[in-house]
Amino acid sequence: MGIDIQNLISPVQDALAPIGGTLSDAWQAVIGDRVTAWRLKNAAKLQLKINEELRKLNLKLNSNKIPERYAFSWFEEATKQDEPEIQELFARLLARAANDDEDALDRRHINMLSQFTPFDAKIFLALFGPLITLQRRARGLVPSAMHWGKGFVVHRLEGEFGNKAGMALEHLENIGVLKTEYKIKADGMSALMRIMGNERSPSSLDFDRAVKIENEIYVTGIGFSLYQAIKPNDAEYD
């Protein structure tokens, strides 16, 4: 059974209505009707994508699992999306939320997903999917311990997707799905202690030679949860 957006989110239908007296008649005629029509068109496309996601996942509708606050937030943001790649992710999020998926029901993901561009989404899935699967198999790490050298990540992504991959990675850090940490290598710390123990005053060159700082990029807890909520249907479930 498919999800009927109109019935599922009936309390927020007025969100698509014109603002009313706060806009002049001229402004409403030029912009208001166009915006309403645009969002209705997006809602229709979302309807089809939600039903398709349910079919792929072999799931049934359980709209009682979706709190009204979540439904309002989802509807408000999802109907602003007109790019098929982002609409698909919003549809996947709601389809899983309607079937009691704990990650998908986290309404913080709605706002995070609304900040994605299609290219951000491509980089996000390309980074999280293969690298997380590889690292968890190899080391059995929990999400908060997953990390890679930032230079390696940037090099890998730019090699596959081009120079703009670095910008997408930066944006993913800004919205909180990734974070960068800096640390001094262990051998660098030992060398630094030896320098400090010398009788002569250490020079800046001594420090540059001894201290090696590594940039490592980590998966945040909210980032891993978002990946679980919107990852492709054929991806591994951990």
Side-chain angles (χ1 to χ4, degrees), residues 81-126:
Q81 311 302 321
D82 59 1
E83 296 162 318
E85 300 89 344
I86 305 302
Q87 288 178 339
E88 181 178 351
L89 297 181
F90 267 97
R92 193 176 296 164
L93 187 69
L94 186 65
R96 289 174 177 164
N99 284 271
D100 207 23
D101 183 288
E102 183 177 352
D103 290 301
L105 280 168
D106 189 332
R107 70 175 184 274
R108 290 174 295 184
H109 295 332
I110 297 170
N111 180 59
M112 297 179 79
L113 190 54
S114 71
Q115 299 179 66
F116 274 36
T117 67
F119 191 68
D120 291 337
K122 182 184 293 186
I123 295 299
F124 177 79
L125 295 174

Side-chain angles (χ1 to χ4, degrees), residues 150-207:
K150 190 168 186 178
F152 162 73
V153 172
V154 173
H155 177 75
R156 176 188 180 275
L157 293 176
E158 289 188 345
E160 184 173 353
F161 300 102
N163 294 335
K164 290 186 177 180
M167 294 174 59
L169 195 66
E170 181 180 334
H171 180 62
L172 293 175
E173 287 192 65
N174 289 338
I175 64 176
V177 301
L178 300 168
K179 64 179 180 179
T180 297
E181 293 188 358
Y182 305 89
K183 63 173 67 173
I184 299 176
K185 292 180 65 174
D187 55 345
M189 182 63 75
S190 299
L192 179 60
M193 296 302 294
R194 289 195 299 271
I195 291 174
M196 298 299 292
N198 290 339
E199 292 183 0
R200 68 177 179 83
S201 300
S203 67
S204 60
L205 182 59
D206 291 326
F207 282 102

